[in-house]
């Protein structure tokens, strides 16, 4: 039997959002890569933005590991897909923050499932000796979650650093990062700007990697990693929409999960990307078309004038499965009203009118039961958008509940072969 090369891993977490997890994680990934360390990345929870930055920093696809939506077996299988590499997992929000009502799906749950140690990033910009109470509280809060090291972020001076180190004398300090206003990623209403939109992305990541290499003990960091659990079980995610699936992929349609596409490929389906923004039609030989989420509202005028794309979808509607998630769902509708109040004609394949003039946040995990359309059974997913439905006529695609089990009613639309909703599917719901 051939020798199996093990992967190692550790989790980068923080007491709260805004502590600098993403920037520090990017810097660690790039610094380790520059040192010749085989490194891979992952993100806790449902996130389309951060993994693209991870991939740019380390040169490998970054996966989502979702302790709320995925079965633990699936998480272990995904985490072990990088043999011989050090897996750096970026947490979400605060270490123990998860979905209501009990915090399920928190980064701490992921640490338990994978039996991985946690490195805690602390934003020390507004505290000194009090940092000890914060770190000690997090270290003791859950015995099954082991905090093995501390990274002190946004340090003001050498005197500030000395006070923090003395207060944390009983903890392993991996390093201190000085306050640096240039190490900030631009953001917009759904979070960070996409990696592909930053012209100076490589310069930013290189600069961040150099900063991390200078201020962190990366040899110590690597020594804290632990072997990842190994599994030969195949996770159940989403069945493929067809055998040949055309997928819209550009800056307007970029929210796809690698684990979903990989599962489709493993099931024998072939993937055929096309760009609506480049006015491309889907592959004529495809038997299914997928319009994922993204930021179509930022490109609505260009989409409305993409005649080759529009005609390609309309001609396919009678014979092929067409499915849209979130932004893709909006584009399948009759019209989209942007934040400036301008209406843009969309594909008109669903009786749906959406708008951003009156923004309202829709956020949270979703339990979804398929009522009709291309899916059958129960799924776990999430919803995250500011769009308002102004008109919707037709049969719904899912019955939805939130993470607390509250009934959200029927959502989405189905018309013939065309369907979609604002929900992003992550995985099949685990069997009881």
């Amino acid at each position: 039997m051939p020798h199996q090369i093990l992967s190692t891993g550790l989790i980068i977490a923080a007491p709260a959002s805004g502590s600098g997890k993403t920037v520090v994680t990017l810097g660690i990934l790039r610094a380790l890569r520059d040192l010749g360390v085989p490194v891979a990345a992952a993100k806790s929870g449902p996130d389309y933005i951060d993994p693209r930055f991870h991939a740019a920093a380390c040169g490998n696809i970054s996966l989502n590991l979702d302790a709320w939506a995925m079965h633990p077996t699936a998480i272990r299988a995904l985490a072990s897909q990088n043999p011989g590499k050090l897996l750096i997992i970026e947490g979400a929000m605060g270490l123990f923050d998860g979905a209501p009502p009990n915090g399920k799906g928190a980064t701490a749950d992921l640490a338990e499932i994978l039996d991985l140690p946690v490195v805690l990033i602390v934003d020390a910009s507004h505290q000194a000796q009090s940092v000890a109470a914060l770190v000690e509280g997090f270290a003791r809060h859950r015995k099954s979650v082991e905090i093995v090291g501390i990274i002190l972020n946004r340090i003001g001076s050498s005197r500030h650093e000395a006070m923090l180190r003395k207060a944390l004398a009983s903890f392993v300090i991996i390093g201190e990062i000085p306050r640096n206003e240039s190490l900030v990623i631009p953001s917009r209403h759904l979070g960070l700007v996409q990696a592909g939109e930053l012209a100076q992305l490589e310069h930013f990541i290189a600069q961040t990697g150099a900063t991390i290499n200078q201020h962190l003990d990366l040899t110590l960091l690597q020594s804290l990693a632990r072997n990842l659990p190994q599994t030969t079980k195949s996770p159940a995610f989403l069945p493929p929409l067809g055998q040949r699936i055309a997928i819209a992929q550009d800056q307007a349609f970029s929210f796809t999960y690698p684990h979903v596409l990989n599962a489709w490929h493993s099931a024998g389906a072939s993937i055929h990307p096309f760009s609506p923004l480049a006015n491309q039609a889907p592959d004529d030989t495809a038997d299914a078309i997928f319009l994922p989420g993204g930021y179509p509202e930022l490109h609505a005028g260009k989409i409305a004038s993409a005649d080759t794309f529009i005609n390609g979808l309309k001609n396919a509607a009678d014979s092929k499965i067409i499915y849209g998630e979130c932004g893709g769902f909006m584009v399948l509708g009759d019209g989209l009203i942007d934040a400036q109040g301008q209406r843009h004609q969309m594909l008109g394949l669903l009786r749906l009118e959406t708008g951003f003039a009156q923004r309202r946040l829709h956020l949270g995990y979703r339990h979804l039961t398929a009522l009709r359309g291309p899916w059958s059974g129960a799924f776990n997913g999430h919803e995250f958008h500011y769009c308002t439905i102004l008109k919707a006529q037709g049969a719904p695609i899912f019955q939805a509940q939130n993470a607390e089990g509250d009934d959200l009613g029927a959502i989405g639309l189905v018309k013939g072969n065309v369907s979609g909703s604002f929900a992003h599917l992550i995985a099949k719901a685990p069997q009881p």
Side-chain angles (χ1 to χ4, degrees):
M1 185 174 180
H3 177 69
Q4 188 172 17
I5 302 175
L6 296 178
S7 305
T8 59
L10 54 81
I11 293 175
I12 306 295
S17 296
S19 300
K21 291 190 303 294
T22 298
V23 171
V24 173
T25 299
L26 294 179
I28 289 172
L29 290 170
R30 174 52 61 89
L32 290 174
R33 195 188 84 167
D34 289 346
L35 292 171
V37 178
V39 64
K43 174 70 178 183
S44 174
D47 190 311
Y48 291 105
I49 303 294
D50 289 351
R52 301 299 176 92
F53 283 92
H54 294 168
C58 71
N60 292 305
I61 291 174
S62 176
L63 296 171
N64 294 81
L65 304 174
D66 196 314
W68 187 91
M70 296 176 178
H71 191 277
T73 300
I75 290 172
R76 296 185 187 106
L78 286 175
S80 63
Q81 287 184 356
N82 293 282
K85 291 185 173 66
L86 169 59
L87 181 66
I88 304 293
I89 303 173
E90 181 191 348
M93 302 183 292
L95 175 59
F96 301 105
D97 297 330
N102 56 7
K104 181 183 177 182
T107 302
D109 293 342
L110 197 60
E112 287 185 340
I113 291 168
L114 295 173
D115 190 26
L116 286 184
V118 173
V119 171
L120 196 70
I121 297 175
V122 178
D123 177 1
S125 58
H126 296 101
Q127 59 185 330
Q129 289 84 357
S130 295
V131 73
L134 175 69
V135 173
E136 287 175 9
F138 270 77
R140 295 176 182 176
H141 184 68
R142 195 188 297 187
K143 291 182 179 180
S144 57
V145 177
E146 183 182 7
I147 295 176
V148 295
I150 307 298
I151 295 173
L152 296 168
N153 196 20
R154 299 168 184 154
I155 304 301
S157 65
S158 57
R159 183 169 176 265
H160 186 202
E161 175 187 332
M163 287 189 290
L164 294 168
R165 273 193 171 270
K166 185 175 181 180
L168 295 171
S170 61
F171 291 91
V172 174
I173 306 298
I174 299 170
E176 305 89 359
I177 304 169
R179 186 181 296 115
N180 187 340
E181 299 301 328
S182 67
L183 297 182
V184 177
I185 303 174
S187 63
R188 70 156 63 95
H189 61 274
L190 289 184
L192 299 175
V193 171
Q194 297 181 87
E197 297 178 83
L198 294 182
Q200 300 298 317
L201 177 61
E202 175 56 30
H203 173 75
F204 173 82
I205 292 177
Q207 178 187 11
T208 305
T211 299
I212 291 299
N213 190 35
Q214 179 182 358
H215 295 285
L216 298 191
D217 186 339
L218 294 174
T219 300
L220 173 58
L221 181 74
Q222 294 175 70
S223 73
L224 299 173
R226 190 177 297 158
N227 286 342
L228 283 159
Q230 302 298 303
T231 179
T232 57
K233 295 183 179 180
S234 299
F237 291 121
L238 306 179
L241 284 167
Q243 286 301 302
R244 295 178 61 84
I245 308 171
I247 299 181
Q249 288 187 356
D250 53 31
Q251 290 300 317
F253 303 93
S254 59
F255 291 174
T256 54
Y257 284 127
H259 73 266
V260 171
L261 303 189
N262 290 342
W264 289 356
H265 181 74
S266 297
S270 58
I271 306 298
H272 305 269
F274 69 100
S275 170
L277 292 184
N279 199 16
Q280 296 174 352
D283 191 322
D284 283 341
T285 65
D287 55 359
I289 300 168
F290 177 35
L291 301 185
Y295 293 113
E297 67 272 19
L298 302 181
H299 308 274
K302 196 167 186 178
I303 293 170
S305 63
D307 57 336
T308 301
F309 161 66
I310 293 170
N311 292 331
L313 267 290
K314 288 184 174 181
N315 291 337
D318 290 334
S319 59
K320 305 176 191 294
I321 292 172
I322 300 177
Y323 178 72
E325 280 189 348
C326 200
F329 178 51
M330 292 188 283
V331 172
L332 291 174
D334 290 319
L336 188 160
I337 299 174
D338 63 23
Q340 289 71 45
Q342 181 177 356
R343 185 184 185 278
H344 303 271
Q345 182 69 34
M346 294 289 103
L347 296 176
L349 298 177
L350 295 173
R351 300 284 75 79
L352 175 70
E353 195 88 15
T354 56
F356 288 84
Q358 296 180 339
R359 301 196 323 156
R360 177 171 171 264
L361 178 61
H362 303 261
L363 170 66
Y365 281 114
R366 300 290 183 257
H367 295 288
L368 302 162
T369 302
L371 301 173
R372 53 185 62 81
W375 308 108
S376 61
F379 300 87
N380 288 334
H382 68 100
E383 194 173 345
F384 186 10
H385 65 90
Y386 282 91
C387 188
T388 300
I389 294 178
L390 305 175
K391 179 194 74 174
Q393 297 175 354
I397 185 172
F398 297 119
Q399 187 70 29
Q401 294 179 324
N402 63 17
E404 298 172 270
D406 299 324
D407 185 13
L408 302 180
I411 66 170
L413 292 172
V414 176
K415 183 182 179 184
N417 295 322
V418 183
S419 62
S421 79
F422 276 111
H424 299 269
L425 301 186
I426 297 174
K428 285 185 176 180
Q431 294 296 316

